Amino acid sequence: MTEPGTERIAVIGGGNWGTTFAKVVVDGGRPVTLWARRFEQAVEINDAHRNTQYLPGIDLPLGLTANHELEPVVIGADVLFLSVPAQAARERLEEMRSMLKEDAILVSLMKGVERSTGLRMSEVIAEVSGIPMERIAVASGPNIAMEIAREEPTAIVVASESRETADRVARIARNSYLRSFVNTDVVGTEYGGVLKNLIAIAVGIVDGVGYGENTKAAVMTRGLAEITQFALTMGAEASTMMGLAGLGDLIATCESPLSRNFTAGRLLGQGYVFEDVVQQMEQTAEGLRSVRPVLDHAEAQGIDMPIARQIDAVLHGRMKPADLAPHLATDDDTPRGE
């Protein structure tokens, strides 16, 4: 295995989060090669040190280079950070599988579940790549990409079943404006990143309808209780859901106008139908694709998720957006505890 500090680092995906994360690593003192899907995007990153479509106005460091061909980026990479849409992850991993080093570490920056299987991204990585879970990590937390690209201080958490892997990745993913914490709760860290997107959509819906801060605070609070119950049932630790990957990410995603899921929800609240919302979004709002598989899991486990159910109803035209807020916890008038 390559000695820590000398690893060759690759980022797969040139959207706003992939490019930002590559910048984070380079700003921490390590060169990074980025795979960008389009030739023109790679040229702009290499020649102008910009990624105008996704990070307008941000100067990228000289240590960040890009290539639109996947093989030169993957072959020889010791640590690969994956930042592609969750529903495209399996296809991309299948392309990469034969190129991966035997001892490579793969890190998911993705916050979604695979719609066809309900698998978390770390599970997809393990299934497709054949890499053992102790060499797979996930990174999550309050990750509004543009704010981090502007070098506004924040923190993330890196999780792996192997504390050694988590520590190694955390040392790579830190610099003067971003600090990385670690844990071994992969389930909680991933589900925190997935489930907060659902609540951000709900908060966006009530914002788009025109409701105020009381309504949004109530949705966030009851939403946190709802997603925590789900995550704990699936094997997460309560401390993770109260940490950066849970509460921290929830606050950022529900309150920032830069949040894709909040924006998608706001468009729904303003009366746009699902297809129109997807067309208006420049990047994927993972929460839109995660609602149904999360609800399928919840129903199979007997977990009640009223907010998620109502989001699904709004998405499919069974509920008016303005009707979401009054039904925060229950459809009946029976008092129940928090």
Side-chain angles (χ1 to χ4, degrees):
M1 179 179 286
T2 307
E3 287 297 315
T6 64
E7 302 100 335
R8 182 181 166 199
I9 313 298
V11 173
I12 308 301
N16 63 358
W17 184 217
T19 308
T20 296
F21 204 88
K23 180 182 185 300
V24 164
V25 176
V26 175
D27 287 346
R30 301 168 190 253
V32 172
T33 306
L34 174 79
W35 175 76
R37 187 168 54 87
R38 294 183 295 105
F39 171 77
E40 297 81 5
Q41 186 183 18
V43 169
E44 184 188 26
I45 291 171
N46 291 330
D47 293 350
H49 309 293
R50 290 287 184 101
N51 188 349
T52 305
Q53 180 179 357
Y54 295 110
L55 294 176
I58 300 297
D59 292 321
L60 301 176
L62 298 181
L64 170 52
T65 57
N67 197 318
H68 75 287
E69 295 182 357
L70 189 62
E71 187 171 348
V73 177
V74 174
I75 289 181
D78 299 295
V79 182
L80 298 98
F81 293 89
L82 307 179
S83 183
V84 299
Q87 308 314 317
R90 181 176 294 273
E91 179 183 359
R92 194 65 62 216
L93 284 160
E94 287 172 348
E95 286 184 69
M96 294 167 51
R97 180 169 47 196
S98 63
M99 309 172 191
L100 293 168
K101 285 184 67 174
E102 185 177 344
D103 61 353
I105 292 173
L106 285 133
V107 187
S108 171
L109 303 178
M110 303 170 286
K111 297 181 179 181
V113 293
E114 190 173 46
R115 196 172 188 183
S116 59
T117 64
L119 294 177
R120 292 176 283 111
M121 290 295 99
S122 66
E123 294 174 314
V124 175
I125 291 171
E127 182 178 288
V128 177
S129 70
I131 288 177
M133 288 299 292
E134 58 264 26
R135 290 212 317 277
I136 296 172
V138 301
S140 193
N143 301 146
I144 303 299
M146 182 57 81
E147 293 183 3
I148 299 175
R150 291 175 184 148
E151 303 183 11
E152 299 177 15
T154 190
I156 64 170
V157 62
V158 176
S160 174
E161 291 185 7
S162 163
R163 178 60 184 263
E164 179 183 355
T165 296
D167 287 346
R168 187 173 181 180
V169 173
R171 281 191 290 269
I172 294 169
R174 63 170 52 189
N175 58 38
S176 62
Y177 56 86
L178 185 141
R179 285 290 182 264
S180 295
F181 294 80
V182 296
N183 69 42
T184 55
D185 182 14
V186 175
V187 174
T189 301
E190 282 195 288
Y191 271 131
V194 171
L195 297 169
K196 56 85 187 179
N197 287 335
L198 276 61
I199 307 307
I201 291 171
V203 172
I205 289 172
V206 300
D207 183 80
V209 168
Y211 294 142
E213 301 307 316
N214 287 339
T215 307
K216 287 184 277 188
V219 173
M220 286 179 63
T221 306
R222 292 309 309 159
L224 178 61
E226 183 169 309
I227 66 177
T228 298
Q229 180 187 10
F230 177 94
L232 295 183
T233 302
M234 303 306 292
E237 297 175 12
S239 58
T240 304
M241 299 307 294
M242 293 299 108
L244 289 165
L247 179 60
D249 204 4
L250 178 71
I251 293 170
T253 309
C254 289
E255 291 194 340
S256 174
L258 298 173
S259 163
R260 285 172 281 176
N261 291 282
F262 172 83
T263 300
R266 185 167 56 189
L267 290 170
L268 289 166
Q270 291 171 345
Y272 291 92
V273 298
F274 175 78
E275 292 76 13
D276 292 338
V277 172
V278 172
Q279 287 181 1
Q280 289 204 38
M281 300 293 292
E282 289 188 3
Q283 290 201 80
T284 304
E286 296 287 8
L288 295 175
R289 302 295 184 184
S290 299
V291 176
R292 192 63 254 171
V294 167
L295 280 174
D296 289 342
H297 268 315
E299 290 164 4
Q301 297 292 328
I303 306 167
D304 186 29
M305 298 190 76
I307 295 176
R309 282 201 317 271
Q310 290 159 40
I311 297 167
D312 187 63
V314 170
L315 285 173
H316 294 92
R318 301 192 305 272
M319 174 182 280
K320 295 178 181 178
D323 291 337
L324 184 146
H327 306 292
L328 295 178
T330 177
D331 290 330
D332 62 46
D333 293 326
T334 305
R336 56 180 66 188
E338 276 197 307

